[in-house]
Amino acid sequence: MENLKPFYIGTYTDANAPEEQRSQGIYQAKLDTNSGEIVDLRVAAWGVNAGFVVLTKERRFLYAIGSTFEQAHSQAGVVAAFAIAPDSGDLTFLNQQPTPNGSSCHINIDASNRLLVSVNYGRGSFATYPVVEDGRIEPYSENVQHSGKGVNPTRQEGPHAHQAIFSPDNRFLFVNDLGIDKIGCYAVEQEFGHLVVEYPTWTKVHDGAGPRHLDFHPNGKYVYLIDELDATITAFGYD
């Protein structure tokens, strides 16, 4: 039915919760756009702490962060790839790769589907991974560490990278860091599918803001940033 739109839900797993209430990983559901009802909720892929997922624009592949997506194997942190069945939306596990510096809080894929990024909040870092044509993830190629601190002694004692988002033209990667009140901008080398990490540019927001997530206006001229620590929204013009 055309009015049923499938979507996916990433979840964290509480090991202390009763088994029948414990998250099982990535869930799939459908939104009835006529009634607003959510239907057909089910587990799409088993996993532990699958807290964030992202789909390619063509909806061929889904990528997720987590602790593990193989029951016989456990890692401190991984990124995982899944193929999406075009008719049913079912997920087929492809592979997973360990993340440096522990578990991640955010994941994103560039418009060419060749560069995957995972963000580590606790360490204030992010890593990039080449992605091959069949959707599988290769071992990480870059691990970028932020430095510094902010004015909030309990939440900004060090860097806390929170999100990575590509510009609409896929030329830049922006990484928000809650701990240092800055947004890092890294150039994307599109021909080779990697970042130029040596010379980032930085946008400073007001002290104590705690930048968490940003998004681009559909016209590409403006950027909006939600600041977690002081509950504000910052608007930018974008060149």
Side-chain angles (χ1 to χ4, degrees):
M1 297 176 64
E2 292 185 358
N3 61 299
L4 293 180
K5 304 299 183 182
F7 64 97
Y8 299 90
I9 307 164
T11 61
Y12 283 108
T13 305
D14 183 358
N16 297 318
E19 187 172 354
E20 66 274 10
Q21 299 175 12
R22 194 177 304 159
S23 165
Q24 298 300 305
I26 302 171
Y27 291 77
Q28 180 186 8
K30 295 183 176 68
L31 173 66
D32 188 325
T33 56
N34 292 335
S35 68
E37 183 181 8
I38 295 175
V39 298
D40 297 338
L41 177 66
R42 59 189 176 88
V43 177
W46 182 92
V48 177
N49 293 327
F52 208 98
V53 301
V54 64
L55 280 68
T56 58
K57 290 184 179 180
E58 303 81 7
R59 299 183 68 88
R60 290 184 60 206
F61 303 107
L62 178 147
Y63 298 95
I65 58 172
S67 298
T68 184
F69 292 91
E70 296 177 312
Q71 296 196 41
H73 184 63
S74 180
Q75 301 257 7
V78 297
V79 290
F82 298 85
I84 303 175
D87 296 329
S88 65
D90 290 347
L91 300 180
T92 299
F93 177 80
L94 297 177
N95 78 324
Q96 67 181 26
Q97 295 288 351
T99 56
N101 304 329
S103 60
S104 302
C105 67
H106 190 260
I107 191 171
N108 218 333
I109 183 85
D110 83 318
S112 70
N113 300 333
R114 293 193 300 166
L115 185 64
L116 190 73
V117 183
S118 70
V119 180
N120 181 289
Y121 176 86
R123 293 289 296 271
S125 62
F126 68 92
T128 64
Y129 312 77
V131 177
V132 295
E133 189 173 351
D134 68 358
R136 297 177 188 271
I137 308 168
E138 296 188 337
Y140 75 88
S141 56
E142 295 159 318
N143 181 26
V144 182
Q145 178 65 57
H146 288 176
S147 62
K149 62 181 180 179
V151 298
N152 186 316
T154 58
R155 297 292 307 279
Q156 296 182 309
E157 79 293 345
H160 293 300
H162 221 311
Q163 179 208 27
I165 184 171
F166 292 91
S167 60
D169 59 9
N170 209 45
R171 293 175 57 215
F172 301 101
L173 175 72
F174 294 90
V175 180
N176 314 328
D177 199 304
L178 178 147
I180 59 177
D181 288 326
K182 291 181 179 180
I183 304 166
C185 175
Y186 300 83
V188 179
E189 181 54 72
Q190 295 177 329
E191 182 179 356
F192 303 104
H194 66 79
L195 293 184
V196 180
V197 300
E198 293 86 355
Y199 306 106
T201 58
W202 296 93
T203 298
K204 177 72 170 66
V205 299
H206 56 278
D207 288 342
R212 177 161 179 156
H213 279 188
L214 66 79
D215 204 0
F216 282 81
H217 190 284
N219 66 17
K221 297 180 180 180
Y222 309 106
V223 175
Y224 299 95
L225 171 71
I226 187 166
D227 305 305
E228 177 178 333
L229 298 186
D230 66 356
T232 58
I233 294 176
T234 305
F236 300 92
Y238 180 66
D239 182 353

